[in-house]
Amino acid sequence: MTQDPLLSILNDAQHQAVTSDAPRLLVLAGAGSGKTRVLVHRIVWLIRDRKLTPSNILAVTFTNKAAAEMRERIGTLMRVPPGAMWVGTFHGIAHRLLRMHWKDAGLPENFQILDSDDQLRVIKRTLKYLNVDDSRWPPKQVQWFINNQKDEGRRPEHIEHFGDLHQKTLIDLYQHYQQACTRGGMVDFAELLLRSHELWLKKPEILAHYQSRFKHVLVDEFQDTNTVQYAWLRVLAGQQGHMTIVGDDDQSIYGWRGAKIENIQHFGKDVGGAEIVKLEQNYRSTSTILAAANAVITRNPDRLGKELWTNGEEGEPITLYAGFNEVDEARFISDRIDSALLNGKQRKDIAILYRSNAQSRVLEEALLRAAIPYRIYGGHRFFERAEIKNALCYLRLLCHRDDDAAFERVVNVPARALGDKSVEKIRETARAMNHSMWEAALYLVNNKGLAARAHNALRQFLGLIETLAQETLDLSLGEQTEIVVERSGLMDLYKSEKGEKAQARIENLQELVTAVRQFEIEGEQAPTLANFLDHAALESGDKQSEDADNAVQLMTLHSAKGLEFPVVFLCGLEEGMFPSAQSKDEPDRLAEERRLCYVGITRAMKKLYLSYAESRRLYGQEKMNGPSRFIREIPPTLMDEVRIKSTITRPVSNTYAGNSYGGGSGTGFGSGSSTRSGTTAKLPRKKRLREDLIDAPYRLGQRVRHKKFGDGVVLDCEGSGPNAQIHINFADVGEKRLVMQYAKLEEI
């Protein structure tokens, strides 16, 4: 009997999903379980075996890349281009509908689409027209409010303000912004979905046409749908249309941008019942990695429930490393990458994942020192990020008032009523006088060469720079930077905005303060602000690998979704960091953080490293957080703990020293547990320290002096060589952990 080439390559669950005749089908597709294959094969099967035409199919996904891949694979299986089939993103299909039915949708025939930057410009003009103070209602906050309301399906007239002036102003701005868009024939991205959904509701004859045409609707990544997308789909499918949705509630990680996990959780109930097929066989990861992922995600309540498994190999144990601090953690990662490369691994096979963009700075520095090419996936290197460049330009002006590039970048950041014309006037005056823009600005202020509003704004800016320079003259670099970041208005600017991007900018500015303080500690001599600015410029100029196919990949966990790598480092696994301090006490947010950890674990194919730092200086503060609860949720038999000074590796004990999140010594784990081979590795803390100190230049209890922190007593020393860590209690500043090669200690 001849095998069916379309179905023979499918496993049992995939076969069931592809050939189901259920009018409502939910395919619960675990990570690495072949969901794209199922979608593509189901579409071809519907055409071949259920005699639908390509024009009867509507397939919706979230990215243009995914849509293009789906079209290509369908064409390959059918051996002809899909042609009349509608395959695209939500926004792409909504745009297509509005172009075809522009008149019924109340739009001009040649309506224009606004991207995010264009939308922001229209909002700024609306604020100016209404004479609204943009310091109280920042344009990006208004943009976030408008898009959020549209994603929820709400027009201005549908929103209550309940007497709240701030809310009322936002509603008025939404109203006037929409009027401006209508006058200009403009449509933003959120409007595409909302307007096409309203088209279904207002024009039932158009809806009936498409319900008759699209006899089967298929949706990918359904767990990422928001309110208006789900409503759009349900209206289109109606009571008779067939719908297949593919998704994974365990990978719903975009709640912060409007995704509703309840859409997939309640789908069956909402549509009057649905067949559920679970794709649980994983083709990506080892059984050890999958067991760890399953153990973590099962702690979440209200799951639809599935358990990943594989016919593949058990694989290596997960390696756990406890760094003394974030620098030690980064060094460990770079060392292991170096070893992997020497053993034949390709750089493109390795990824470093982290919760926050701000974590990349220390990792970047470790990779640069090790001469390992890397790439920030979907983002910029730390010192190339816009908010960091802005802060550095303020610092540059404190050193060099005649730095025209710095002056021009921040003279109107945050906005100071200095428009393009005013800046051009400063520029022209500088050219005419053959002076810097700073000197030209002083001349214009002294001679009232600008309109009153611009004159006052420029005078205040010049005064701010002079005041900051005087008031921070005798302070440490860290204190100087912290004051400049706050007093410049940059921190307030980003605090006034909403969303994940704004929070990331705040964290990056806080991390800049950390970078400066670390530079002070590690400097060969008393560092100056100019020294640090040179360091930052060199770091920025030492480009990341331009060859994306030949570089280690650094990325946030959110960016990693949908990707896979043979070797993965998941770092920063500490309470208060991952899960974040804001989410660990809120059940819904904690559940999403756990899903994010699950996504991170399941990116690994062959080898997974987990790491945390006992002490971490981040966002300008040093914290002693215990290891993340997500580490505790992984069975200890799946992990081997590695210590830097010893060849001993041992599985992790669930018994924590000191408190439920780990003690302040060692790795925070109990010291007595058996290795995977059955041998014991009891190594009391004090004995281990004294063994480490055999090679150390300092002894416990020795008095030492540091050029900045003063006199102190050695409490602890771990490791050997230049990267050894020394823990000292200083009389003036308390306990500090220092890297030996940078500490420059004197014996007393």
Side-chain angles (χ1 to χ4, degrees):
M1 181 178 176
T2 304
Q3 281 193 325
D4 184 340
L6 180 68
L7 304 178
S8 61
I9 63 172
L10 305 176
N11 65 36
D12 290 345
Q14 290 172 339
H15 187 283
Q16 181 185 351
V18 166
T19 59
S20 171
D21 280 317
R24 299 287 192 270
L25 175 65
L26 165 56
V27 181
L28 198 60
S33 62
K35 70 178 179 62
T36 304
R37 171 181 287 181
V38 166
L39 267 172
V40 168
H41 281 67
R42 180 159 176 76
I43 289 170
V44 176
W45 180 81
L46 287 168
I47 294 169
R48 191 194 71 177
D49 290 56
R50 291 299 176 260
K51 309 306 178 188
L52 297 183
T53 67
S55 63
N56 293 145
I57 303 289
L58 173 66
V60 190
T61 187
F62 273 83
T63 68
N64 290 314
K65 180 181 177 182
E69 180 186 355
M70 197 180 298
R71 277 193 294 269
E72 181 180 353
R73 291 172 66 168
I74 292 168
T76 300
L77 283 175
M78 293 176 61
R79 297 192 178 137
V80 293
M85 187 183 306
W86 282 31
V87 180
T89 64
F90 276 102
H91 290 106
I93 290 170
H95 173 243
R96 186 171 179 176
L97 282 168
L98 294 178
R99 285 292 181 202
M100 296 175 69
H101 303 283
W102 54 271
K103 199 168 189 178
D104 291 302
L107 293 169
E109 185 175 7
N110 60 344
F111 68 85
Q112 300 299 306
I113 297 178
L114 295 174
D115 64 18
S116 182
D117 289 341
D118 292 334
Q119 182 188 31
L120 193 60
R121 278 191 282 273
V122 176
I123 289 170
K124 287 177 178 177
R125 289 201 298 271
T126 303
L127 286 163
K128 189 173 183 180
Y129 172 75
L130 295 175
N131 199 28
V132 172
D133 183 356
D134 60 9
S135 65
R136 292 188 64 192
W137 288 275
K140 286 196 175 180
Q141 181 184 350
V142 177
Q143 182 181 37
W144 178 86
F145 174 82
I146 291 171
N147 290 338
N148 184 60
Q149 297 303 321
K150 289 187 178 187
D151 285 345
E152 291 295 322
R154 291 192 286 261
R155 293 295 186 188
E157 58 271 21
H158 302 147
I159 310 167
E160 292 287 346
H161 58 75
F162 300 107
D164 184 296
L165 175 62
H166 192 269
Q167 181 79 350
K168 183 178 185 303
T169 303
L170 288 171
I171 296 169
D172 289 344
L173 288 167
Y174 180 9
Q175 180 79 53
H176 282 86
Y177 161 80
Q178 201 56 51
Q179 290 170 357
C181 288
T182 301
R183 285 194 302 271
M186 300 176 292
V187 176
D188 58 50
F189 281 107
E191 182 73 15
L192 288 171
L193 261 298
L194 180 54
R195 185 72 67 117
S196 62
H197 178 240
E198 291 171 342
L199 178 66
W200 296 147
L201 301 179
K202 294 176 181 177
K203 299 292 180 178
E205 67 279 9
I206 294 176
L207 173 62
H209 166 75
Y210 285 103
Q211 286 177 332
S212 174
R213 173 176 177 166
F214 296 132
K215 299 188 183 303
H216 209 114
V217 178
L218 302 98
V219 189
D220 191 15
E221 303 286 9
F222 192 79
Q223 76 279 352
D224 294 335
T225 54
N226 62 27
T227 299
V228 75
Q229 288 164 343
Y230 188 32
W232 186 91
L233 288 167
R234 288 191 62 191
V235 170
L236 175 60
Q239 297 298 317
Q240 304 301 320
H242 284 57
M243 183 183 290
T244 296
I245 69 166
V246 180
D248 183 3
D249 58 327
D250 290 335
Q251 294 188 75
S252 179
I253 59 174
Y254 297 118
W256 50 272
R257 71 181 188 195
K260 305 286 188 182
I261 190 173
E262 53 266 32
N263 290 349
I264 190 169
Q265 290 175 334
H266 301 159
F267 174 75
K269 186 187 300 182
D270 291 345
V271 298
E275 179 183 345
I276 299 177
V277 178
K278 298 180 181 182
L279 304 184
E280 298 172 295
Q281 184 174 357
N282 177 280
Y283 294 93
R284 174 189 299 160
S285 306
T286 66
S287 63
T288 295
I289 292 169
L290 296 181
N294 289 330
V296 170
I297 201 63
T298 53
R299 301 297 185 103
N300 268 359
D302 304 321
R303 296 174 60 234
L304 292 172
K306 65 184 182 316
E307 185 164 334
L308 298 178
W309 60 275
T310 181
N311 280 329
E313 60 184 353
E314 179 183 359
E316 296 182 51
I318 296 165
T319 296
L320 175 68
Y321 181 70
F324 309 113
N325 57 24
E326 73 280 5
V327 177
D328 181 48
E329 179 190 38
R331 179 209 51 75
F332 169 78
I333 291 171
S334 68
D335 284 352
R336 285 302 171 104
I337 291 174
D338 207 27
S339 297
L341 296 176
L342 289 173
N343 289 323
K345 282 283 189 295
Q346 298 293 310
R347 291 192 289 264
K348 66 181 180 180
D349 293 337
I350 302 170
I352 307 174
L353 311 183
Y354 37 81
R355 178 64 181 86
S356 166
N357 266 315
Q359 290 172 256
S360 78
R361 180 188 64 82
V362 178
L363 296 164
E364 289 180 59
E365 290 180 355
L367 294 173
L368 285 169
R369 280 195 292 268
I372 299 172
Y374 68 92
R375 171 178 177 249
I376 304 291
Y377 183 89
H380 298 287
R381 288 160 48 95
F382 182 79
F383 286 110
E384 292 174 349
R385 291 169 183 151
E387 61 275 13
I388 299 302
K389 284 186 172 182
N390 290 337
L392 291 175
C393 282
Y394 273 100
L395 293 170
R396 281 162 54 185
L397 284 175
L398 298 196
C399 288
H400 306 289
R401 305 292 196 281
D402 295 334
D403 186 332
D404 282 356
F407 180 94
E408 194 161 0
R409 183 178 181 97
V410 297
V411 67
N412 200 35
V413 178
R416 293 187 176 85
L418 280 166
D420 292 341
K421 288 184 178 179
S422 298
V423 175
E424 181 59 32
K425 181 70 176 290
I426 299 170
R427 197 181 294 117
E428 289 174 354
T429 303
R431 282 197 296 264
M433 297 172 62
N434 197 26
H435 284 316
S436 67
M437 292 184 73
W438 178 272
E439 292 290 338
L442 285 173
Y443 174 82
L444 289 171
V445 166
N446 291 333
N447 291 278
K448 299 191 182 329
L450 295 173
R453 192 176 180 204
H455 169 87
N456 289 334
L458 184 58
R459 180 175 54 80
Q460 289 172 6
F461 173 73
L462 298 176
L464 172 65
I465 299 299
E466 292 289 1
T467 300
L468 287 174
Q470 291 298 319
E471 292 184 354
T472 63
L473 188 60
D474 297 322
L475 299 178
S476 69
L477 295 188
E479 292 170 325
Q480 195 172 15
T481 305
E482 189 169 18
I483 288 171
V484 167
V485 166
E486 288 288 347
R487 295 270 298 278
S488 64
L490 292 175
M491 192 65 81
D492 287 340
L493 171 66
Y494 300 123
K495 284 180 179 177
S496 65
E497 297 173 3
K498 298 287 185 181
E500 187 85 356
K501 285 186 178 179
Q503 182 59 34
R505 292 183 191 277
I506 292 168
E507 292 174 354
N508 287 336
L509 286 175
Q510 292 168 336
E511 179 62 9
L512 177 63
V513 177
T514 298
V516 175
R517 286 179 172 154
Q518 184 175 323
F519 180 79
E520 283 185 281
I521 293 172
E522 297 180 355
E524 292 293 331
Q525 55 189 6
T528 65
L529 180 55
N531 294 150
F532 175 75
L533 292 170
D534 288 344
H535 163 75
L538 290 170
E539 287 280 298
S540 180
D542 193 351
K543 296 295 183 185
Q544 59 183 310
S545 174
E546 296 298 330
D547 184 358
D549 292 332
N550 194 28
V552 173
Q553 307 288 308
L554 276 68
M555 66 190 73
T556 64
L557 284 154
H558 284 100
S559 299
K561 187 169 178 290
L563 303 177
E564 58 185 40
F565 302 92
V567 180
V568 168
F569 292 84
L570 180 48
C571 60
L573 280 162
E574 297 134 39
E575 284 293 309
M577 180 126 180
F578 187 31
S580 67
Q582 294 81 12
S583 65
K584 64 181 184 178
D585 295 322
E586 296 184 27
D588 288 345
R589 293 181 66 176
L590 178 59
E592 182 157 320
E593 291 278 291
R594 187 174 280 110
R595 293 194 292 271
L596 193 58
C597 184
Y598 172 82
V599 166
I601 292 172
T602 54
R603 298 313 93 192
M605 300 167 68
K606 299 294 185 184
K607 179 63 182 175
L608 175 63
Y609 292 87
L610 306 178
S611 64
Y612 68 97
E614 294 175 336
S615 168
R616 183 179 298 274
R617 182 169 284 278
L618 189 68
Y619 313 146
Q621 296 180 331
E622 186 167 0
K623 295 187 177 179
M624 306 283 287
N625 291 323
S628 169
R629 67 188 70 194
F630 302 148
I631 295 175
R632 281 188 291 130
E633 291 168 359
I634 298 173
T637 54
L638 300 176
M639 294 190 289
D640 276 351
E641 182 186 2
V642 174
R643 292 202 62 83
I644 199 65
K645 174 63 176 155
S646 174
T647 57
I648 294 174
T649 61
R650 62 188 189 279
V652 178
S653 168
N654 271 345
T655 304
Y656 281 67
N659 57 47
S660 61
Y661 297 136
S665 63
T667 60
F669 297 99
S671 59
S673 57
S674 62
T675 64
R676 289 169 71 91
S677 60
T679 60
T680 60
K682 279 198 172 184
L683 196 57
R685 172 70 175 169
K686 289 185 178 179
K687 182 179 178 183
R688 186 168 67 243
L689 289 178
R690 291 188 179 117
E691 287 180 355
D692 286 349
L693 280 169
I694 291 171
D695 300 326
Y698 303 102
R699 63 185 184 277
L700 297 179
Q702 183 174 0
R703 290 181 56 76
V704 293
R705 179 169 293 151
H706 186 273
K707 63 184 179 183
K708 179 178 179 182
F709 302 133
D711 294 350
V713 177
V714 176
L715 300 178
D716 185 359
C717 187
E718 293 196 17
S720 62
N723 287 319
Q725 289 276 322
I726 185 165
H727 186 185
I728 304 169
N729 185 23
F730 291 101
D732 294 334
V733 296
E735 294 185 20
K736 297 284 184 183
R737 287 179 182 267
L738 306 177
V739 180
M740 197 77 75
Q741 64 177 318
Y742 301 124
K744 311 297 184 189
L745 298 170
E746 299 175 21
E747 293 185 36
I748 300 177

